[in-house]
């Protein structure tokens, strides 16, 4: 158990809908990352937040958005869902760092999203 | 754009045998990570390699990093069935210099099956 929690574990929804995935980082970690894992794209970085601020952005679609709240939990919002959005969505957190250092990332159990 | 390539992608081996998984990456980085993923599960951190020549060992697994060759290896010694999983290497790069943002870029993964 990495200490990172994600809810829900599974989510089944229809095309065109909107969902919210939630992540709580390990105690004391200020950085939160979101990744998408699918069979055709592999593991892809979506976005990073540090202490409430966006720090890095990857291949995140405009239909997707994220935020990190003052209590450091993060939410990933996916809207206008398409079949191709079906994937495993992971959240990861890393220890407090203001410099580009060790930055080991610890992954949560993931949310499996199925779009029908 | 950073590319991370692993080979082989599929590896079937007998218990007791040795083998090496290779991870090549295209951009200078001295931060490389190895993760293990069991089917449908999260990613478990195995090794963190932070400098040229770094070597880490845990049980039957040993990882090394050659930053000049942009190559990391994961060596399996006397494989056992419990090692069956998918192994990912990931390279950490500074995604945003202004914000110290970072991101992991993953290889495709090596699916290891250890047969009795």
């Amino acid at each position: 158990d990495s200490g990172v929690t994600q809810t829900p574990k599974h989510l089944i929804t229809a095309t065109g809908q909107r969902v919210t995935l939630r992540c709580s980082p390990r105690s004391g970690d200020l950085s939160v990352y979101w990744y998408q894992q699918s069979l055709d794209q592999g593991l892809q970085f979506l976005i990073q937040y540090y202490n409430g601020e966006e720090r890095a952005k990857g291949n995140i679609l405009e239909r997707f958005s994220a935020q990190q709240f003052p209590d450091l939990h993060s939410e990933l919002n996916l809207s206008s869902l398409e079949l191709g959005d079906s994937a495993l969505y992971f959240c990861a957190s890393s220890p407090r760092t203001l410099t580009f250092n060790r930055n080991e990332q610890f992954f949560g159990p993931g949310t499996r999203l199925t779009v029908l | 754009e950073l590319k991370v390539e692993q080979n082989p992608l599929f590896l079937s081996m007998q218990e007791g045998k040795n083998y090496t998984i290779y991870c090549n990456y295209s951009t200078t980085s001295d931060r490389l990570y190895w993760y293990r993923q069991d089917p449908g599960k999260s990613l478990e951190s195995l090794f963190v390699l932070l400098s040229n020549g770094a070597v880490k060992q845990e049980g039957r697994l040993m990882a090394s990093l050659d930053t000049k060759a942009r190559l990391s290896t994961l060596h399996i010694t006397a494989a056992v069935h419990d090692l069956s999983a998918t192994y990912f290497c990931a390279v950490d790069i500074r995604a945003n210099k202004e914000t110290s943002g970072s991101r992991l870029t993953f290889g495709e993964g090596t699916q290891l099956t250890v047969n009795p």
Side-chain angles (χ1 to χ4, degrees):
Chain A
D1 185 354
S2 67
V4 179
T5 60
Q6 289 186 248
T7 57
K9 282 189 177 179
H10 303 276
L11 202 45
I12 301 174
T13 188
T15 54
Q17 295 298 305
R18 172 190 169 95
V19 297
T20 298
L21 313 184
R22 183 188 167 104
C23 166
S24 292
R26 297 185 323 156
S27 177
D29 285 359
L30 298 182
S31 270
V32 168
Y33 309 79
W34 286 97
Y35 293 86
Q36 179 194 58
Q37 185 176 34
S38 62
L39 281 175
D40 53 345
Q41 303 273 11
L43 266 161
Q44 290 213 320
F45 168 75
L46 296 178
I47 198 163
Q48 177 203 4
Y49 279 84
Y50 176 83
N51 203 20
E53 293 184 3
E54 182 184 307
R55 284 296 176 96
K57 214 166 186 175
N59 299 324
I60 186 166
L61 300 171
E62 284 191 12
R63 301 183 285 108
F64 295 1
S65 65
Q67 54 184 327
Q68 186 180 28
F69 295 87
D71 66 352
L72 301 177
H73 91 271
S74 177
E75 292 181 356
L76 179 67
N77 300 296
L78 315 175
S79 62
S80 302
L81 284 168
E82 302 175 0
L83 295 178
D85 297 328
S86 296
L88 199 48
Y89 291 84
F90 287 110
C91 167
S93 73
S94 65
R96 172 183 180 148
T97 175
L98 291 177
T99 61
F100 187 58
N101 207 335
R102 179 184 173 92
N103 204 36
E104 185 174 4
Q105 295 184 24
F106 297 89
F107 283 74
T111 293
R112 181 169 294 281
L113 173 66
T114 302
V115 182
L116 302 174
Chain B
E1 182 187 334
L2 172 62
K3 290 192 188 309
V4 181
E5 294 181 342
Q6 288 182 235
N7 73 85
L9 298 184
F10 298 93
L11 177 56
S12 180
M13 56 191 297
Q14 283 189 311
E15 280 191 331
K17 299 292 187 183
N18 304 331
Y19 209 84
T20 299
I21 299 170
Y22 297 88
C23 173
N24 291 274
Y25 54 98
S26 61
T27 301
T28 300
S29 174
D30 56 1
R31 288 159 181 81
L32 191 136
Y33 306 81
W34 284 95
Y35 287 89
R36 168 183 170 143
Q37 186 179 36
D38 292 298
K41 302 292 185 182
S42 184
L43 286 93
E44 174 192 352
S45 179
L46 294 175
F47 298 108
V48 179
L49 303 169
L50 297 178
S51 61
N52 186 40
V55 177
K56 295 279 184 73
Q57 180 158 9
E58 181 72 36
R60 301 174 188 275
L61 300 177
M62 183 174 71
S64 66
L65 178 62
D66 181 344
T67 58
K68 293 179 182 176
R70 298 178 187 170
L71 171 69
S72 180
T73 62
L74 180 66
H75 186 73
I76 303 154
T77 302
V80 293
H81 180 69
D82 284 352
L83 290 179
S84 296
T86 299
Y87 293 85
F88 291 92
C89 65
V91 176
D92 193 358
I93 62 169
R94 189 189 293 269
N96 187 319
K97 286 184 182 179
E98 287 72 34
T99 65
S100 295
S102 71
R103 58 187 288 175
L104 290 181
T105 299
F106 284 85
E108 308 97 319
T110 297
Q111 188 174 318
L112 171 66
T113 303
V114 181
N115 303 302

